[in-house]
Amino acid sequence: MAVAAGSAGAVAGHGLAVAGAPAVRAGAALMLASVRAVWRIRHALAQAGVFAPGFWRVCGWLLLAALCEGLSLYTLLALAVRRDAGALALIDDEGELDYASLQAQTLALASAFHVRGIGRGTKVALLARNHRGFVLGLLAASRVGADVLLLNSRADAPQLAGWLRQFSPDLLLLDEVQCPLLPPGYAGRVLVADRALAHPVPGLAHWLATPPRALGWRWPGGLTLLTSGSTGAARGIRRKPDLAQVAGVVQALLQQLGLACGQRTLVSVPLFHGYGLASLALALALSAPCIISRHTRGAALAGLLRRQRPDVLVTVPTLLERLLAEPDWPAPARVLSGSAPLPAALASAALARLGPCLFNLYGSSETGMLALATPADLQANPACVGRPISGVTLRLFDRAGQPVAAGESGEVTVSSDLLFDGYLGQAGRGCGAWRTGDLGRFDAAGRLMLLGRLDDLLIIGGENIVPQEVEDRLRALPGVRDVAVGLLPGTHDRLACWLVGAAPALAELNAALPGHWRLAACFAVTTLPRNAIGKLQRRQLPLLMD
């Protein structure tokens, strides 16, 4: 249990707060584990330039931050300020912030949280798009030790009402455009994140005027992510900041992607998702300028690339496809695609246009990052997600729970230090490996290929049909921009497709497919139902026929 600053007597000049013996022991254990993690991946960190000021100096900064403030996401910001306070930290639709300004505004907001009773044991919910208000709210909540809940910024009113009932946050930070979604008569504390001074709900700018206060040492709060909801209602996953857990992921990203301090990084994916959040955290750890925007249209992203010329682009397949339709934008040195399946045709098109800069990442909210495909992997097998990263073991099992033979498909099962403990409101997941629900197969070189979700598997005429394999074949046809395959509504043994683009005749589509993949119908649609990170919502396909 952490004791708030001043409650047990702060140590003058250092902002330290005296905590009880259990908290001291737990804090010391966490700090020791973090130091060991840094030591274990020191070579990768050194290669990325993290220790440029000197190894022991950086370790000293980490130790001082741990003693004065506790270890949290805010710690990464504090270390970046010590490394170079004047370096560019954040670029959004409002302009630029250097690291000193980002820290100053974070501490002002954290002080506002503190004087209003937001801290250890309280919950801050963030329902905001990609802008500095989201980042400041996240870092300030981290600094005061509050638990953070990241909500989907594309939620509708019923979803928001359900989350507010389920999680009962002490503070909801949201954008002005989302205020009408609040339940009638909602009595909880609300703060507008995008500086809406004229709005009747208090705006972030009001709270940023709070004079900074000594906040002292804080035990890090928890972080709750929502699953993507691609297979049903979104569920909450609680995680704790733990450098020892993520060390293997950090090492893989630094070594295999060649990331380094100071590289300009455009994060085009939502920050409320684990993929976007991890990208923000990595940018802070590398003192890199992080570029974010509310706008995800292809033209808007291409304009950002032209103006900002990032070294790294973090994206998802749907946004990558939109970008490839835009002319004349500079290719970043590294393009990271993740959070949704990357079609083989799209991977090949990106490599042909951009060169060998595309990486495909595989993971989930429950498991963290699992595998990584390099440009060389994708050139050899565009349908793959690469090989497991350090500290991750991937195996394939059949429905009976038995390992599959080489070259056969099965459910991807994970053993990893990053596995979550369980869903909120449910019993823990227990020990052992985690069954992902993904269907996969290893190629001859040991690269994993994802074939779709196990619950999407169709059995027609005794044949196993994986919709994603049919979709990949159709997507390669001229004029097909996007496609989804499923059962024809009202039947149990006939395939149909929902197609975006210049739809060929049904006979032409079937000519490109094996006999047991033949389609009974094709529906031309203007768009497919996808969530905020581009995952296909298959359950909504029949609604497109209304």
Side-chain angles (χ1 to χ4, degrees), residues 176-195:
E176 181 179 6
V177 297
Q178 292 155 336
C179 287
L181 302 179
L182 287 170
Y186 179 67
R189 179 176 281 161
V190 176
L191 179 67
V192 174
D194 48 358
R195 297 173 177 248

Side-chain angles (χ1 to χ4, degrees), residues 38 50-65 78-79 81-84:
V38 170
V50 172
F51 298 134
F55 175 78
W56 294 113
R57 177 177 292 184
V58 172
C59 289
W61 291 345
L62 179 62
L63 180 62
L64 183 62
L79 292 176
V81 170
R82 288 185 177 275
R83 186 179 288 114
D84 186 356

